[in-house]
Amino acid sequence: MEGQIQRGLYIATFGCQMNEYDSKRMEEVLYPSFTPVASPEEADLILVNTCSIREKAEHKVYSLVGRFRALKEKRPGLIIGVGGCVAQQEGERLLKRLPFLDLVFGPQGIYGLGHAVKEIEEGRGPIVLTEMVDGFEIPPILRSMPTPSPIRAYVTIMQGCDNFCTYCVVPYVRGREVSRPKDDILKEVGTLVESGVKDITLLGQNVNSYGKKRGFSTSFAELLREVASITGLRRLRFTTSHPKDFTDDVIDAMAEGPPICDHLHLPVQSGSNRILKRMNRKYTRESYLEIIEKVKGLLPDVSLTTDVIVGFPGETDEDFKDTLSLLEEVEFDQIFSFKYSPRPFTKAAQYPDQVDEKVKSERLTQVIELQKSIGLRRLSRFEGRTVEVLVEGRNPSREGELVGRTTGNHVVNFEGPDELIGQTIELMVERACYHSLRARMR
Ligand code: SAH
Ligand code: SF4
Ligand code: F3S
């Protein structure tokens, strides 16, 4: 383009859906100077989009970046950058630890990538883009890339977080909460749907407080309805909901049905009121269960999922039992469970009563074991039933098989022809597994 050779871009993405969205944005910012390639060996620019939610996530980054160093030794022109939450957390310090890096950039630095890469090529590296501006807004959609559109896509509706749960690093690495204007969101979803996307997930650390801080006249439930009315959109999801801000009008919007999906991810973290208080979650076990009851009342077949932390500082056997009993009471379709991991800047990392690593591991095993039986029981409700499945593609681990998803976000594997990809079809469920369903065409 403009007489320039296109160079290869390889992005390795860690962490949550926000990072997946951001990686897509990096591709857009750098196009057409750089186009995505399939492997780091083919790339002229390698970016690692990092996560620092737990210590383990952070470690993964260092080992991967270390491997890319060998490529740079062979090809000195190769540019290597580290972005995302670890980059924001560490800033300049990363250059000391990884001196061969050319670029360190936080989530807000994405939009300066084009300029930064030019500077590096002209010998003015390394560059650090980790300044955070309060009220930073994601620029509206940039350009659509000439790549085949996926079936599913994410759209960020708000950045950052103001909640300061005492275990969580996100408010420090993502900055304060800022909602995007509704028109930007609608336009972005519209463009994606036009290009063939059928399943959209609206993203934010706390989607239920959408627009409140900025005084937008549109509430989250209203935004959901407006996005839902976009022609051609088959499925609409959202994550993450925070129980303290979750309101009945969202349940009402969900009850209106497709394209809004029959799925709610509502992280509970702990079943003990004492621990919830220490986590600064601002809801109780009772108020959480009240929401669940209402949701189940209006959406009897809803798929519920949650996040759980075990071994938060001060968590006793009694507190932990409260978490187990909550899991039994709610019966989630799936849970994501984590051992508490002390994070930089956070309050809980300073608490004196840290739980022994061995106890954390034992509790995690118990939670996983319990959920295995609950999950299987929950998914068994589909056996012998017909479900509507949006076909997403080939099953990468079994030849001749396709993979799709139900409205409740259950993965479905079945044998079928490639022509079905992108279509919504009815399948007969034969068997439930822990995390997926096996089905056949009718
Ligand atoms: N904004 C979302 C969650 C974002 S992080 C919410 O409020 O629910 C995703 C999950 O990671 C959290 O729900 C929590 O369960 C887990 N998590 C966050 N910080 C953690 C830490 N320090 N140790 C272990 N798990 C953590
Ligand atoms: Fe972290 Fe809490 Fe914000 Fe979620 S709501 S991102 S857990 S601080
Ligand atoms: Fe990780 Fe940052 Fe997401 S810390 S979970 S990538 S917001």
Side-chain angles (χ1 to χ4, degrees):
M1 314 256 148
E2 291 152 19
Q4 258 187 0
I5 338 159
Q6 283 191 2
R7 286 156 296 163
L9 164 68
Y10 182 82
I11 307 180
T13 308
F14 294 91
C16 65
Q17 296 102 325
M18 305 268 168
N19 266 13
E20 285 188 41
Y21 176 84
D22 284 353
S23 289
K24 198 87 205 112
R25 276 303 176 91
M26 292 175 202
E27 288 180 356
E28 289 170 354
V29 167
L30 290 161
Y31 182 81
S33 306
F34 290 88
T35 47
V37 289
S39 75
E41 285 74 20
E42 300 163 67
D44 301 281
L45 171 61
I46 296 179
L47 300 176
V48 184
N49 194 5
T50 63
C51 171
S52 72
I53 200 81
R54 285 167 292 274
E55 205 180 354
K56 221 160 133 195
E58 196 177 331
H59 283 165
K60 271 192 213 155
V61 174
Y62 293 110
S63 61
L64 182 67
V65 177
R67 272 197 274 145
F68 292 152
R69 178 188 197 160
L71 292 178
K72 192 165 168 119
E73 277 161 9
K74 276 191 240 155
R75 274 191 295 134
L78 173 67
I79 300 174
I80 304 181
V82 171
C85 296
V86 177
Q88 189 65 50
Q89 178 186 303
E90 296 298 312
E92 295 253 1
R93 278 197 302 263
L94 263 189
L95 292 179
K96 290 216 180 71
R97 188 155 177 184
L98 305 164
F100 54 93
L101 285 185
D102 301 289
L103 175 64
V104 175
F105 61 104
Q108 294 187 4
I110 294 169
Y111 302 91
L113 274 180
H115 183 71
V117 168
K118 233 183 232 145
E119 295 261 298
I120 294 163
E121 286 175 329
E122 288 166 8
R124 285 192 288 277
I127 303 247
V128 177
L129 296 177
T130 48
E131 205 185 313
M132 263 207 284
V133 184
D134 256 1
F136 173 83
E137 266 193 35
I138 305 178
I141 192 146
L142 302 154
R143 50 180 83 83
S144 43
M145 309 245 312
T147 45
S149 78
I151 308 293
R152 288 198 298 144
Y154 300 114
V155 173
T156 293
I157 66 164
M158 65 193 336
Q159 291 247 94
C161 184
D162 287 355
N163 292 319
F164 293 93
C165 302
T166 54
Y167 51 81
C168 185
V169 77
V170 170
Y172 304 96
V173 292
R174 289 274 169 171
R176 293 293 64 73
E177 180 186 301
V178 185
S179 295
R180 293 180 77 190
K182 181 182 80 181
D183 288 346
D184 285 4
I185 297 165
L186 291 175
K187 210 163 127 201
E188 193 163 319
V189 175
T191 310
L192 288 167
V193 172
E194 249 169 54
S195 76
V197 172
K198 299 200 160 48
D199 183 328
I200 294 273
T201 305
L202 303 180
L203 297 179
Q205 295 298 351
N206 179 8
V207 291
N208 310 107
S209 68
Y210 174 78
K212 275 191 200 156
K213 193 172 149 191
R214 298 188 74 183
F216 288 174
S217 52
T218 310
S219 68
F220 177 63
E222 285 156 1
L223 177 74
L224 255 186
R225 287 199 176 95
E226 283 202 43
V227 175
S229 70
I230 292 174
T231 317
L233 179 61
R234 300 301 300 257
R235 294 210 169 143
L236 178 58
R237 310 175 187 279
F238 52 94
T239 197
T240 302
S241 292
H242 195 307
K244 85 176 165 67
D245 293 310
F246 194 83
T247 44
D248 290 357
D249 56 352
V250 176
I251 313 177
D252 295 336
M254 289 175 75
E256 285 158 24
I260 303 179
C261 288
D262 212 3
H263 172 212
L264 178 65
H265 181 64
L266 195 64
V268 67
Q269 316 297 1
S270 169
S272 151
N273 281 334
R274 203 177 66 84
I275 295 296
L276 286 173
K277 196 155 194 235
R278 287 190 113 203
M279 287 177 162
N280 191 31
R281 289 291 286 181
K282 299 196 168 87
Y283 53 85
T284 60
R285 175 190 179 100
E286 291 73 28
S287 64
Y288 182 89
L289 290 173
E290 226 171 85
I291 299 174
I292 296 291
E293 208 172 297
K294 275 188 208 155
V295 174
K296 284 182 177 170
L298 271 179
L299 301 152
D301 207 21
V302 71
S303 148
L304 294 168
T305 56
T306 199
D307 293 346
V308 167
I309 297 177
V310 300
F312 183 81
E315 185 186 71
T316 61
D317 282 343
E318 278 310 303
D319 295 318
F320 176 61
K321 275 191 197 132
D322 288 345
T323 297
L324 295 178
S325 72
L326 183 131
L327 296 181
E328 275 169 347
E329 195 166 338
V330 178
E331 300 201 295
F332 294 100
D333 282 46
Q334 198 179 349
I335 70 164
F336 302 88
S337 47
F338 311 102
K339 280 196 272 185
Y340 167 74
S341 167
R343 304 312 295 137
F345 321 118
T346 61
K347 222 169 162 180
Q350 307 299 324
Y351 289 172
D353 42 4
Q354 300 290 323
V355 173
D356 194 74
E357 205 46 44
K358 203 170 134 247
V359 175
K360 283 188 206 171
S361 300
E362 282 165 10
R363 288 182 183 166
L364 186 66
T365 310
Q366 275 193 60
V367 161
I368 292 171
E369 281 306 311
L370 172 63
Q371 180 57 32
K372 260 191 184 169
S373 59
I374 297 173
L376 196 55
R377 192 160 71 229
R378 283 294 294 158
L379 266 63
S380 299
R381 75 190 188 277
F382 294 110
E383 283 179 354
R385 260 171 68 182
T386 300
V387 290
E388 200 186 67
V389 173
L390 172 56
V391 187
E392 291 177 3
R394 294 202 185 118
N395 180 352
S397 39
R398 271 218 220 174
E399 205 162 316
E401 275 197 7
L402 296 175
V403 60
R405 209 172 282 265
T406 65
T407 173
N409 213 30
H410 307 98
V411 171
V412 184
N413 297 305
F414 67 103
E415 276 175 27
D418 285 1
E419 295 82 75
L420 293 176
I421 296 171
Q423 292 186 34
T424 309
I425 56 168
E426 306 242 295
L427 294 175
M428 170 62 76
V429 177
E430 292 183 311
R431 193 159 52 83
C433 311
Y434 292 124
H435 299 299
S436 63
L437 300 170
R438 173 147 290 285
R440 65 174 156 77
M441 291 176 66
R442 296 193 311 153

